[in-house]
Amino acid sequence: GRLGDAERVLKTGDAGLRLEQLRAQLAAVKGDTKSASRQLTALINRDRRNPQLWAQAASVEYQAGHRRRAANWFAAAKQLSPRREDWDEAIEQIRNELIPESGVEANSKSVGPGWREFNSKLVGEVRVSPAWTVGASMEVNRVALTNFNGTIRRGAMSANREGETARKLSVELYRSERNGAGASYSWLSGRGRTTVSGAYVKPYWEYMEGLAAAGTRSRTAIEHQQPLGKRGAMWVAVHANQYGLRAVSNAGRTSGFTGGTSLAIRPRWIAQYGVDRETVHSRNTLPLVSREVHAFTGATSGDWKRKLHWEASAGYAVDRLGGRGPYTSGSVVWTPSPKLRAGVWFDR
């Protein structure tokens, strides 16, 4: 951590060098990575045989998002101090992050005798600069409904930016039978994070009618997430929606809010309460129904031999406008390598 880095700095070199290293460390802690990088580069030019300087500079470059430079500078530090295994781990982690992300997902869903789906999805993401990544996805869904059997498709492209001040920007393009677009922007506010987002005619398959008739949803939303002490968190969001179908651009309008809080009771055990409210203002062909669901959940998770991770949760939900009942979910995910993952999920 930062304190450990500072302690190592105090134990190296002469007093003047130690002071200049600490100044660079302070600049990095304050988020001024440009100043910290300039100071450390000047120190390296004065003492190129000091492995701690190279490692400290590598940490700053990583903080600034310059992953390739960070990996090269950790490698330079490792050459000067071969016994530092933690630098090997840092180099491996950074190089794994630089590998383009890609994956294939497949799942089967049975909602009832008249509703079955088999979905496959190809996703990929690559970093194109220290701050920017671009991604794409293609999804194919084989649907068997009471009144529809066929294959439907949707795709998306995205560009994402994360700045040094933890501000995040994402822009997306959607493709199905209609073209759509969306964007989100988030920033730190106090100790929490606020996100503003919008989407126009994004493909939406949560309704049977949407599966059969090219459903879409346009949404504007604002959300805030806030930690509560060391063990708790809360979130709240408000949104407005317009649903569409192939032949009906305005199949329904709604607005609503979600919110909740969670508390870590003990390591790996979490208690959570959430509310999901959506009010229907108009509907045309879509069977939209207003709801106000209050859900109480207990969840736990664990690892087995580091490569197998499991999660399980159970709870009870009450819709104040009608309906109630228990629910359960769980997953087991096997990760034999940082770039390969397989798992099974259930939800009922």
Side-chain angles (χ1 to χ4, degrees):
R2 299 289 188 194
L3 181 59
D5 291 342
E7 289 175 344
R8 285 191 289 272
V9 166
L10 287 169
K11 296 177 182 178
T12 60
D14 56 49
L17 175 64
R18 291 199 300 269
L19 180 59
E20 291 184 60
Q21 281 185 270
L22 284 171
R23 286 173 177 164
Q25 184 75 28
L26 180 60
V29 169
K30 291 181 176 179
D32 188 359
T33 55
K34 291 183 180 179
S35 175
S37 181
R38 284 197 302 269
Q39 294 176 57
L40 289 167
T41 300
L43 292 176
I44 288 172
N45 290 333
R46 285 165 44 189
D47 184 6
R48 302 188 68 84
R49 303 295 299 174
N50 187 327
Q52 189 61 44
L53 284 176
W54 285 99
Q56 188 178 357
S59 297
V60 171
E61 294 300 324
Y62 183 84
Q63 180 184 346
H66 305 143
R67 284 167 171 75
R68 294 187 189 279
R69 190 181 304 170
N72 292 337
W73 287 13
F74 269 125
K78 179 65 177 178
Q79 286 183 341
L80 296 170
S81 184
R83 294 184 179 181
R84 290 294 299 269
E85 295 182 0
D86 56 329
W87 292 344
D88 281 328
E89 295 173 359
I91 294 168
E92 182 180 3
Q93 175 186 332
I94 295 170
R95 288 176 176 169
N96 282 334
E97 292 178 4
L98 289 170
I99 297 173
E101 297 279 353
S102 62
V104 177
E105 303 174 8
N107 65 79
S108 178
K109 180 168 72 172
S110 177
V111 180
W115 186 343
R116 295 181 184 275
E117 300 177 45
F118 181 79
N119 182 283
S120 56
K121 186 176 183 180
L122 175 65
V123 297
E125 185 179 71
V126 62
R127 183 170 294 279
V128 295
S129 78
W132 284 93
T133 61
V134 295
S137 66
M138 174 58 70
E139 194 170 355
V140 178
N141 199 2
R142 295 174 178 84
V143 182
L145 305 176
T146 303
N147 59 351
F148 174 79
N149 283 274
T151 299
I152 56 178
R153 296 173 176 83
R154 61 184 175 187
M157 297 181 63
S158 65
N160 312 284
R161 186 183 191 280
E162 182 170 0
E164 294 181 14
T165 58
R167 295 175 179 265
K168 298 180 180 180
L169 171 68
S170 179
V171 179
E172 292 184 298
L173 299 176
Y174 314 120
R175 175 60 182 168
S176 186
E177 291 191 10
R178 298 177 63 189
N179 296 324
S184 67
Y185 181 71
S186 71
W187 65 94
L188 294 178
S189 48
R191 295 179 59 236
R193 177 173 289 276
T194 302
T195 303
V196 177
S197 62
Y200 174 69
V201 292
K202 183 176 183 178
Y204 191 72
W205 292 348
E206 297 302 314
Y207 289 99
M208 184 182 294
E209 291 78 5
L211 292 166
T216 63
R217 184 179 71 180
S218 300
R219 163 176 282 202
T220 56
I222 181 169
E223 178 183 14
H224 182 74
Q225 300 175 333
Q226 182 79 31
L228 300 175
K230 295 182 179 180
R231 299 190 301 163
M234 61 81 66
W235 63 95
V236 63
V238 294
H239 52 83
N241 314 284
Q242 177 174 306
Y243 297 90
L245 299 172
R246 180 182 292 116
V248 185
S249 60
N250 182 10
R253 291 179 180 271
T254 69
S255 63
F257 67 89
T258 60
T261 183
S262 64
L263 177 66
I265 301 174
R266 53 183 299 183
R268 298 190 179 277
W269 286 90
I270 295 175
Q272 181 175 294
Y273 162 75
V275 58
D276 180 2
R277 168 85 188 206
E278 187 168 14
T279 301
V280 177
H281 301 295
S282 66
R283 56 175 169 240
N284 178 14
T285 71
L286 267 182
L288 299 172
V289 177
S290 296
R291 68 177 186 274
E292 185 182 308
V293 179
H294 299 259
F296 305 86
T297 308
T300 184
S301 62
D303 298 287
W304 186 70
K305 294 187 176 180
R306 298 182 62 182
K307 294 184 177 181
L308 200 66
H309 178 76
W310 58 268
E311 296 181 358
S313 64
Y316 196 82
V318 177
D319 187 345
R320 194 178 65 84
L321 305 181
R324 62 182 61 203
Y327 57 90
T328 58
S329 66
S331 65
V332 178
V333 178
W334 177 53
T335 309
S337 73
K339 298 300 178 183
L340 179 62
R341 178 173 73 169
V344 293
W345 297 261
F346 72 88
D347 187 356
R348 61 172 303 174

